[in-house]
Amino acid sequence: MVESQATAKSTAFSAAARTVPAAPQAYAFAFEKYVPDSSAKVDVASYNKGQTEASSQISNIVAHFTSTGGLGILHILMDPSIQGVSETITKNIKKMADLMDLFYQQKDFQYNDPYGTPVWYNGVIGKSAANNLIYHDFNLGYADYLRSFAEGISDWVTGIKAKAQSKDTSVADGLINYGQYDGTQLAGNSGLLGQAGAAGTAFLTWLKRIFTTNNYAGNILKYEGNPNNVANPDVNSAVNAINFYTSIVAPVIINGVAHQALSDVRAIGGHIKDGDYAPNLLKDAVNLNVNVTKMLQNIGLYDVLGTSIIQNVYEGIRMNVQNAIERNWSIGASKALTDAFNGRPATRVRSPYSGTPGYSESNPQSILDDGTGKVPLSQVAQAAGYAWYRKLITLVVKQAGIDAQRNAPQTTVAGIIDEVNASLIKTPDPDNAPLSDNEKKQILVDNVTHSFGSAKSYNRNGIGVRQVITKIYNSEYQAIQAVIADYQQAPSLPDDEILKKQS
């Protein structure tokens, strides 16, 4: 006998499952016997054959959308005589998406009938599979295996998200640094992705190069496995197949998220009430490169992007990329503040990121626009954080100190940035420049469009950057006012004692 992964009441189903239509006709044939009593022990042979059947059906689905093999996309796309490949691939990925939907929506995997008929199936289970079986227990094994498989896929996606929080930077930055940042890629007119919109032999050459890419960012996207999950082999096969599609779109997603996260002054606000710099839908993320979109449409795979299973994987990748970019941004921003407090403006110390392509403190956007794929994205994010903080936030800190000494606080963000601009105009800085009218508008007005070159424009709100400016200005203003008050009360008090009182 065997213990089921389901509860002892495996045939007691939710109200939602009971509203599902009667079990499919695929299962409507006579069986030798079944066990309607849910308290009965589970028959080992029947249960195990159910698990084997579920594994076989999942393997068959994966074989129809993997990138290699006789049934795979590479084999079929390279042979023009074979028709209908895209429809087959999309249909099979959608089958797997339907299975995952049962899991994500916490629905039952079996109907509430005497046989416990599976809600999800792939094809028809023939009579031979049911010979000498207790069909109720066969179905129980079948459903348990599907549930284990779905849990494995879900654990894999969760792991992608979690790895961005790793203390090991090779893991935390593994996905964003797998390929070097290329700011020109979003235009889609040159390089490898530019060939995606080509035709004929050039297109097929590009296609073959892409479709034989194996193990994309393997240390981040691989399935780690759960020793207690019986479906591990099938989960691993499915992950490898899905990762093939990831290898097509991941560079566009990663570079697109980075560009929208870092290329304008609202980057200072990070993700504060503003996650919209990373598209919510995979289709929107892929559309950042017109040629990749065109390629997927040409081979009929564009609809694959809309399936729930691929969308969930994208969400895991998006969260990983966002976390990694924002963590590296914070490293650069913190260095900028440290350098400012250590007197960099007076000593003219060069930025530690001055070697980054396109680096500029007067126009940090150029770091993202001019990136040529020569440095890791983690370095680009740190450089952008440093440059944007040097351009504005360190000057906000300086202005707060000046205002505190004059006892003349600014009460609006507009007032603060006007003072910063006036100060730069009065005393020019060779490494900086006043905020442009568009940059001021991006700070003060929500959903202002940001355009860059031939890549797609986007909108963001300015809530985050306004909050950061206000908080830093007020904190510095209050700190300086407190120091002045302490000094006025005890002018002879040594500096180190004043500092102790302020700590």
Side-chain angles (χ1 to χ4, degrees), residues 220-499:
I220 306 301
L221 298 181
K222 70 179 179 182
Y223 174 58
E224 301 289 351
N226 179 344
N228 298 317
N229 192 326
V230 67
N232 271 341
D234 283 319
V235 174
N236 192 59
S237 295
V239 165
N240 289 338
I242 292 169
N243 275 346
F244 151 68
Y245 297 92
T246 301
S247 71
I248 300 176
V249 300
V252 176
I253 293 170
I254 293 169
N255 286 325
V257 170
H259 209 298
Q260 296 192 10
L262 305 172
S263 64
D264 75 65
V265 70
R266 290 167 292 191
I268 290 171
H271 66 279
I272 298 175
K273 295 186 179 181
D274 181 27
D276 57 2
Y277 62 80
N280 289 323
L281 298 178
L282 175 57
K283 281 189 175 182
D284 293 336
V286 172
N287 285 343
L288 292 171
N289 184 282
V290 294
N291 278 322
V292 170
T293 300
K294 182 178 178 182
M295 179 273 293
L296 291 173
Q297 290 171 338
N298 285 344
I299 62 176
L301 291 181
Y302 188 70
D303 286 346
V304 167
L305 304 180
T307 60
S308 59
I309 187 170
I310 303 297
Q311 173 64 25
N312 272 288
V313 174
Y314 164 66
E315 289 172 6
I317 292 173
R318 181 187 66 188
M319 183 175 291
N320 181 291
V321 171
Q322 284 180 289
N323 288 342
I325 287 174
E326 288 171 7
R327 184 179 60 79
N328 281 286
W329 159 277
S330 296
I331 292 172
S334 296
K335 285 183 179 179
L337 287 175
T338 299
D339 282 357
F341 287 126
N342 287 341
R344 185 192 149 193
T347 58
R348 313 307 315 165
V349 177
R350 292 186 67 199
S351 164
Y353 302 104
S354 57
T356 303
Y359 185 82
S360 169
E361 291 173 15
S362 61
N363 181 28
Q365 173 183 328
S366 63
I367 300 171
L368 280 300
D369 288 350
D370 297 341
T372 55
K374 295 181 179 179
V375 296
L377 180 49
S378 59
Q379 180 179 329
V380 172
Q382 290 182 30
Y386 189 96
W388 278 117
Y389 260 58
R390 287 292 305 170
K391 179 172 181 63
L392 179 58
I393 298 302
T394 57
L395 300 183
V396 168
V397 172
K398 178 181 177 182
Q399 191 62 49
I402 294 172
D403 292 347
Q405 294 176 57
R406 297 185 307 181
N407 197 30
Q410 286 294 328
T411 58
T412 66
V413 174
I416 295 170
I417 61 177
D418 281 345
E419 277 199 325
V420 167
N421 263 11
S423 178
L424 274 175
I425 293 170
K426 182 179 179 180
T427 308
D429 181 344
D431 293 333
N432 209 336
L435 291 169
S436 67
D437 289 341
N438 192 52
E439 286 171 333
K440 289 193 290 184
K441 191 174 180 181
Q442 287 174 347
I443 294 172
L444 300 174
V445 181
D446 287 336
N447 300 317
V448 173
T449 298
H450 181 73
S451 301
F452 43 93
S454 57
K456 284 199 170 186
S457 302
Y458 64 89
N459 299 326
R460 290 184 69 175
N461 72 60
I463 296 173
V465 64
R466 292 195 295 270
Q467 286 188 9
V468 171
I469 291 171
T470 300
K471 184 174 181 179
I472 287 181
Y473 178 89
N474 289 340
S475 296
E476 182 66 9
Y477 185 94
Q478 292 163 10
I480 297 300
Q481 285 262 293
V483 170
I484 293 172
D486 285 342
Y487 176 77
Q488 290 172 341
Q489 290 177 8
S492 60
L493 197 66
D495 290 346
D496 58 342
E497 291 298 322
I498 294 177
L499 289 174

